[in-house]
């Protein structure tokens, strides 16, 4: 059995997985925002609830973090939940839980989950993309999260948008301190913002729609929604063409809210083929199999041999 915790910016969740991937117990709580020590207490409580339910003590726990640790110092960096930055998250978890802890970035956990028994199962190098409120990516190789000396692998969302046109320069400010990061172009929020910016020009009232509502409009024949979608897919394709040219993964697995738009799987591959250097494109682009559960499932799999 494996025990995992997904320490997210809004929710914290624990899960126990059997070796075959079936979920044995599962609990979740709201994240006490900006309260680091409160988060550690919630995590301990969630671990204990799973253990009480199963009558089993887990000697090891895997935890997905909303950021990465400096591999030398163990200090959290680049977390979108910025209150985590500067903390020794893995050491603190070890102390709070009184057992061995392995941590990974939440996007890496997503990649591991999909690589082990999700859409990426059977593929050696999995590039997993999250197109959600924000945007990020994780890399799994042979079912294990790939980390480099800076713990910077998969920070795809903080590359600049490739081949920007004049309207895309310099781009909006990102929380990381740079401008025009992919995250600011390919998140669900960016898609909605792009639509609102253009729709509001013609209308007296500002338009504020959720991504799913814009997609519904597109399916109903709204030309602006169609154009904004096409431009969105073009940006995702430009961003991923860079990955193809550098890593050439065996599969792209797509997660996050925008991955639920089924049109993505027909529309994205031709764009990728257009921007990548390789004249052939054999790489499958697949929807994640475990949806929102991938973060916590991947955290549990961090201890899988
Ligand atoms: Zn950034």
């Amino acid at each position: 059995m494996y025990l995992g915790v997904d320490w997210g910016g809004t929710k914290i969740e624990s899960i126990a997985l059997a070796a075959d991937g079936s979920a044995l117990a599962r609990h979740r709580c709201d994240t006490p925002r900006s309260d680091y020590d409160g988060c550690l207490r919630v995590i301990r409580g969630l671990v204990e609830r799973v253990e009480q339910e199963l009558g089993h003590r887990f000697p090891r726990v895997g935890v997905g973090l909303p950021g990465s640790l400096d591999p030398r110092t163990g200090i959290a960096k680049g977390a979108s939940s910025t209150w985590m930055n500067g903390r020794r998250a893995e050491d603190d978890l070890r102390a709070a839980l009184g057992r061995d802890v392995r941590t990974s970035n939440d996007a890496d956990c997503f990649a591991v989950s999909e690589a082990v028994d999700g859409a990426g199962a059977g593929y050696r190098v999995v590039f997993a993309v999250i197109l959600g409120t924000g945007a990020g990516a994780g890399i799994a190789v042979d079912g294990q999260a790939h980390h480099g000396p800076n713990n910077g692998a998969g920070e795809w969302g903080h590359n600049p948008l490739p081949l920007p046109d004049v309207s895309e320069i310099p781009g909006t400010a990102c929380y990381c301190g740079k401008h025009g990061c992919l995250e600011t172009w390919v998140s669900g929020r960016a898609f909605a913002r792009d639509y609102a910016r253009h729709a509001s020009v013609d209308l007296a009232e500002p338009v504020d729609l959720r991504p799913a509502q814009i997609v519904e409009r597109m399916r109903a024949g709204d030309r602006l929604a169609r154009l904004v979608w096409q431009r969105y897919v073009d940006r995702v394709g430009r961003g991923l063409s860079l990955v193809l040219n550098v890593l050439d993964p065996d599969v792209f697995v797509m997660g996050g809210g925008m991955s639920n738009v089924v049109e993505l799987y027909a529309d994205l591959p031709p764009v990728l083929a257009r921007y990548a250097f390789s004249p052939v494109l054999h790489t499958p682009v697949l929807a994640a199999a475990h949806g929102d559960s991938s973060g916590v499932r991947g955290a549990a799999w961090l201890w899988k041999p």
Side-chain angles (χ1 to χ4, degrees):
M1 285 194 289
Y2 300 92
L3 179 56
V5 174
D6 181 20
W7 182 351
T10 55
K11 289 266 188 283
I12 301 177
E13 187 169 9
S14 62
I15 200 169
L17 293 181
D20 69 357
S22 53
L24 304 171
R26 191 167 183 163
H27 294 283
R28 69 191 300 179
C29 279
D30 288 338
T31 303
R33 292 191 147 211
S34 310
D35 179 3
Y36 181 81
D37 294 318
C39 285
L40 294 174
R41 281 193 296 276
V42 166
I43 290 168
R44 191 174 61 212
L46 286 168
V47 165
E48 285 168 358
R49 274 165 73 185
V50 167
E51 293 189 324
Q52 278 160 15
E53 193 176 325
L54 299 176
H56 175 84
R57 189 178 191 280
F58 289 81
R60 293 176 285 272
V61 183
V63 182
L65 304 174
S68 300
L69 306 182
D70 178 333
R72 289 200 185 160
T73 62
I75 294 173
K77 62 183 175 67
S80 51
S81 300
T82 46
W83 41 266
M84 178 175 283
N85 290 328
R87 310 302 293 250
R88 294 177 184 278
E90 193 170 280
D91 293 343
D92 293 341
L93 283 162
R94 227 171 254 135
L97 298 174
R99 70 196 80 197
D100 209 356
V101 170
R102 202 172 265 178
T103 61
S104 215
N105 179 288
D106 46 7
D108 292 340
C109 291
F110 166 61
V112 168
S113 166
E114 292 297 326
V116 169
D117 63 353
Y123 295 96
R124 206 176 151 242
V125 178
V126 175
F127 193 85
V129 185
I130 300 175
L131 303 175
T133 319
I139 301 168
V141 180
D142 294 326
Q144 308 268 348
H146 169 68
H147 295 126
N150 310 298
N151 240 339
E155 295 293 0
W156 172 73
H158 297 283
N159 284 299
L161 178 71
L163 298 170
D165 67 28
V166 285
S167 73
E168 293 168 331
I169 296 172
T172 41
C174 181
Y175 76 83
C176 74
K178 297 192 173 70
H179 268 264
C181 290
L182 272 166
E183 167 157 305
T184 67
W185 294 111
V186 302
S187 66
R189 199 181 281 159
F191 172 64
R193 197 181 51 225
D194 203 24
Y195 184 80
R197 190 164 57 230
H198 292 89
S200 303
V201 170
D202 300 330
L203 302 167
E205 292 290 303
V207 173
D208 186 17
L209 295 176
R210 286 180 289 110
Q213 293 172 300
I214 300 165
V215 170
E216 271 173 39
R217 285 194 174 191
M218 170 180 83
R219 289 171 184 157
D222 180 321
R223 283 187 62 241
L224 178 61
R226 164 70 51 193
L227 284 170
V228 168
W229 168 254
Q230 282 167 342
R231 193 155 64 170
Y232 173 81
V233 173
D234 191 85
R235 287 169 176 155
V236 176
R238 274 186 265 165
L240 291 180
S241 69
L242 197 106
V243 175
L244 226 143
N245 290 351
V246 174
L247 182 67
D248 201 4
D250 292 301
V251 65
F252 287 109
V253 177
M254 314 301 288
M258 295 303 289
S259 74
N260 297 323
V261 183
V262 292
E263 285 84 346
L264 184 68
Y265 304 95
D267 295 348
L268 181 57
V271 177
L272 251 177
R274 184 158 72 242
Y275 288 117
F277 173 75
S278 167
V280 295
L281 179 78
H282 300 304
T283 322
V285 179
L286 306 176
H290 293 297
D292 292 344
S293 300
S294 257
V296 73
R297 292 181 63 91
W301 288 140
L302 289 178
W303 282 100
K304 192 176 184 333

